[in-house]
Amino acid sequence: MANRDNAGASATPAERKMPPMVDVMVIGAGFAGLYAHYKFREIKFTTFGFEAAPEIGGTWFWNRYPGARCDVESLDYTYSFSPELLDEWRWSERFATQPEILRYANHVADRFELRREIAFDTRVTSATYDEAANQWTIETNRGDTVRCRYLVTAVGCLSLPKPPEIAGIEDYQGRWVQTAAWPREPVDYAGKRVAVIGTGSSGVQSIPLLAEQAVQLTVFQRTPNYSVPAHNGAVDPEYEAQVRADYAEHCRQRLRTKGGVPPRINTGLPAMEVTEEERRAKFEEAWKFGTFTLQSVFRDITSNPEANAAVAAFVHGKIRGVVKNPAIAEKLIPKGYPFGTKRLCLDTGYYATFNRDNVELVDIRATPIERITRTGIKTNEREYPVDLIVFATGFDAMTGPLLALNIRGVGGKSLNDAWKDGPFSYLGLTIAGFPNLFTINGPSSPSVLANMLPAIEHHVDWIVDCISHMESNGFDRVEADEDAQNAWANEVAEIAAETLYPQSNSWYIGANVPGKPRVFMAYIGGFDRYIDRCDEIVGNNYAGFSFSVSGANGAGGLTDGFEAMQEQQ
Ligand code: NA7
């Protein structure tokens, strides 16, 4: 298993040329962290960053399992901040693979020299606000202590994998791996008996490839997921030419959409207002096109139970059409929750994989796993001997990575206490009681429901504008008001309640992690509407935020010190 906690590295903070103080500390060096460094450098702020992985890439560094790909089309999974970057980067596939996305991240880091202020192999162990100094102190597992005026988290939404939760793992004599921490050296599964636990996106993407080489693949399914064919292939040259004719405008259009991706097939109609024949034709068109279109081809798929049932029945028919054994097909058909309310998967040959002789599906709701033994997996029915267990069991999503930072705000209050009943945040960007802390793609922003790249750019731009506004008005402390935060939490919950999403036991609502509060954690009103709300609040003189002058001093001197140190290097 890849080591997600590289505590063994030996250089001391002094040897590592750690700055004692910077303007902005950025935690994480995925797409969000990289852009934050770029943007703060543009306004001449000093930044420094810690990253637990040995390289940049965030989620795209860790999730290197077979078949790992983006489920947003490559031409849209791009930064828009640099026209030159848009021009020069060419994607090879409609949905990019993990290695290609990691190459893109590295290209961006090289092109804009973004590695310079990042310490890798370093995990943040605490972040504490010092009210007297109006500074944050960040500590790491390598003994570093760095202070900063502003703290920006860029830790990702799906970056804290759930531990294997099944009894007996310590007894197992074979090898086990997690999709979310797939080893860098090749994992040999050819000719082996392989088990996969979990059938979310990571399971759905890896299962067809594992099945091709394993002598026997056993899939342990707790909840069947809806998956639609990706129809991956080379980037369509005609579509690419159309996008590239005015790429910047295409990117601007992303900001005016519900999901951060300009829709290609969208009737804009309620599904039940057309005839059954027309509805079916549109579902077929969306199915053939791929992407998340089936979810948005009619405007009420995720809000009207009747519309949702219609699309669910359509997909059930597709699964029955592909899977030859009717009993297996029935096991694979999602039932009991609305279509699309657990994250939809995009696949290449997923359902057809269950027609293979070397693939077996175990429904662990019918025959629960009792434990892992020395040699395999034991359900209440029988034991399955396996050489390799792949845990594709997902993440403590959205709040997990933030809570793991051990953040303490005003009066030493911990974020874990503040969020014991669920994540409370204003706009998903700031948290009452935690001044000068900004959370990129934090809970209660669109985050996982929007295309990550434009969502990141929007948040980083917002944060930089907010801090620039403070600086130019002589303030050095910003904090969300508790009332505004509560009102925002209500707004987010009310919008979610208008949809079918809260009905399913998804990670959006924390249901996949035992004991996690059941709160819908993303703003589901649409990326476009969210941007409008942010603009409205800024236009209204940052309504709901308190700006102040802390009276603390000393920050500038130390910051200047780091600048001098950087010049010497
Ligand atoms: P997901 O979507 O959370 O899927 C995890 C899967 O593992 C899902 O089928 C879970 O069943 C199953 N699971 C989780 N815990 C257990 C235990 N303890 N026992 C058995 N099965 C379990 O994670 P992914 O990594 O696939 O995808 C995450 C996102 O990454 C994805 O949506 C894309 O946005 C990219 P459950 O459904 O909870 O019953």
Side-chain angles (χ1 to χ4, degrees):
M1 192 182 135
N3 183 2
R4 270 187 171 254
D5 199 359
N6 296 279
S10 59
T12 65
E15 282 162 356
R16 278 144 56 77
K17 298 204 172 75
M18 210 56 60
M21 170 82 197
V22 286
D23 292 322
V24 184
M25 171 62 71
V26 179
I27 307 176
F31 283 116
L34 291 180
Y35 183 55
H37 283 285
Y38 172 87
K39 196 71 191 171
F40 277 108
R41 194 186 286 168
E42 221 177 42
I43 62 162
K44 309 262 180 292
F45 269 39
T46 55
T47 63
F48 198 75
F50 288 119
E51 166 56 56
E55 287 176 22
I56 61 155
T59 200
W60 297 108
F61 172 82
W62 295 110
N63 287 266
R64 50 182 71 221
Y65 58 83
R69 285 180 192 279
C70 191
D71 52 17
V72 170
E73 286 185 86
S74 322
L75 286 168
D76 276 313
Y77 202 70
T78 52
Y79 287 118
S80 69
F81 68 85
S82 158
E84 297 78 22
L85 179 63
L86 279 174
D87 268 357
E88 73 202 13
W89 185 262
R90 290 287 188 278
W91 294 103
S92 65
E93 290 181 73
R94 183 181 180 199
F95 297 98
T97 58
Q98 174 270 336
E100 189 168 24
I101 299 170
L102 197 55
R103 279 201 296 281
Y104 176 62
N106 276 284
H107 171 73
V108 174
D110 291 340
R111 193 186 197 292
F112 300 102
E113 296 180 29
L114 299 174
R115 264 178 256 273
R116 217 167 52 202
E117 287 97 11
I118 301 171
F120 293 97
D121 280 330
T122 310
R123 185 174 289 281
V124 169
T125 50
S126 70
T128 310
Y129 179 67
D130 172 348
E131 191 155 20
N134 188 33
Q135 291 170 358
W136 284 89
T137 304
I138 317 302
E139 293 180 315
T140 76
N141 63 344
R142 295 179 64 173
D144 311 301
T145 302
V146 177
R147 291 168 80 83
C148 58
R149 297 163 60 210
Y150 300 101
L151 175 59
V152 175
T153 63
V155 290
C157 299
L158 294 157
S159 51
L160 183 67
K162 293 205 305 168
E165 289 160 339
I166 298 166
I169 185 77
E170 61 289 346
D171 298 333
Y172 182 56
Q173 305 277 295
R175 183 167 191 200
W176 63 270
V177 290
Q178 287 177 293
T179 47
W182 196 265
R184 294 179 84 178
E185 69 284 1
V187 176
D188 182 16
Y189 48 87
K192 300 247 159 70
R193 296 165 304 173
V194 179
V196 176
I197 303 176
T199 52
S201 201
S202 307
V204 163
Q205 287 186 336
S206 56
I207 284 165
L209 293 172
L210 295 169
E212 277 174 19
Q213 291 193 30
V215 65
Q216 174 68 29
L217 179 73
T218 312
V219 176
F220 292 85
Q221 170 190 271
R222 185 161 78 178
T223 311
N225 250 293
Y226 282 99
S227 186
V228 300
H231 302 297
N232 190 33
V235 174
D236 173 7
E238 224 170 277
Y239 178 62
E240 178 162 23
Q242 187 189 318
V243 169
R244 287 192 182 281
D246 194 347
Y247 213 156
E249 176 53 27
H250 178 89
C251 292
R252 272 190 296 277
Q253 280 175 21
R254 304 195 299 205
L255 307 177
R256 301 314 315 152
T257 64
K258 204 166 153 51
V261 179
R264 311 268 288 278
I265 308 171
N266 185 2
T267 61
L269 296 169
M272 306 319 281
E273 268 185 22
V274 301
T275 65
E276 196 181 334
E277 213 176 17
E278 287 164 335
R279 200 162 46 243
R280 167 120 204 145
K282 277 292 161 197
F283 288 160
E284 276 295 350
E285 193 183 341
W287 183 264
K288 287 206 180 90
F289 182 73
T291 71
F292 291 106
T293 309
L294 205 52
Q295 213 170 353
S296 57
V297 60
F298 292 104
R299 71 163 195 244
D300 56 351
I301 295 284
T302 51
S303 57
N304 174 2
E306 224 187 326
N308 194 280
V311 74
F314 172 82
V315 179
H316 294 177
K318 289 289 182 192
I319 298 170
R320 289 191 184 105
V322 175
V323 181
K324 292 192 181 126
N325 179 324
I328 298 175
E330 287 316 302
K331 280 193 208 172
L332 286 166
I333 287 175
K335 296 180 193 101
Y337 69 91
F339 171 86
T341 55
K342 278 166 88 81
R343 171 88 175 197
L344 199 58
C345 303
L346 295 193
D347 72 274
T348 301
Y350 176 65
Y351 292 117
T353 299
F354 293 91
N355 293 332
R356 296 176 68 109
D357 291 339
N358 68 334
V359 175
E360 183 171 5
L361 179 66
V362 180
D363 172 358
I364 59 170
R365 286 203 195 271
T367 56
I369 296 177
E370 283 182 346
R371 62 179 293 113
I372 292 172
T373 64
R374 282 181 71 250
T375 49
I377 298 176
K378 186 173 180 316
T379 66
N380 67 356
E381 197 180 49
R382 55 164 282 209
E383 182 164 349
Y384 297 83
V386 289
D387 308 308
L388 174 71
I389 303 176
V390 175
F391 286 90
T393 46
F395 302 84
D396 182 350
M398 305 173 77
T399 50
L402 289 168
L403 294 175
L405 297 174
N406 189 14
I407 298 176
R408 288 186 179 273
V410 173
K413 180 160 184 156
S414 78
L415 188 61
N416 296 58
D417 276 349
W419 283 6
K420 65 180 184 321
D421 298 324
F424 289 91
S425 152
Y426 189 33
L427 298 177
L429 274 160
T430 56
I431 305 161
F434 297 82
N436 294 355
L437 166 68
F438 298 90
T439 51
I440 302 173
N441 280 327
S444 87
S445 73
S447 60
V448 290
L449 297 175
N451 177 4
M452 274 294 159
L453 274 285
I456 285 167
E457 288 185 327
H458 173 255
H459 263 189
V460 173
D461 291 352
W462 191 97
I463 295 164
V464 168
D465 285 350
C466 176
I467 292 177
S468 303
H469 166 83
M470 289 168 67
E471 302 269 322
S472 56
N473 287 284
F475 300 119
D476 64 358
R477 175 173 160 154
V478 60
E479 191 178 351
D481 299 339
E482 192 119 23
D483 288 350
Q485 179 169 283
N486 289 338
W488 182 252
N490 288 338
E491 187 173 332
V492 172
E494 277 163 19
I495 298 172
E498 288 164 11
T499 73
L500 303 171
Y501 278 83
Q503 293 182 18
S504 79
N505 290 324
S506 66
W507 53 257
Y508 294 134
I509 205 158
N512 65 330
V513 174
K516 193 163 171 171
R518 193 177 173 99
V519 174
F520 195 82
M521 294 185 287
Y523 177 89
I524 200 173
F527 186 43
D528 47 357
R529 185 165 153 201
Y530 172 78
I531 292 173
D532 289 346
R533 291 290 285 119
C534 290
D535 289 350
E536 201 177 296
I537 286 162
V538 170
N540 201 3
N541 206 13
Y542 283 94
F545 290 98
S546 293
F547 295 103
S548 56
V549 184
S550 68
N553 63 38
L558 284 166
T559 302
D560 294 346
F562 178 46
E563 273 165 4
M565 194 175 99
Q566 282 184 316
E567 274 159 30
Q568 282 166 23
Q569 285 174 21

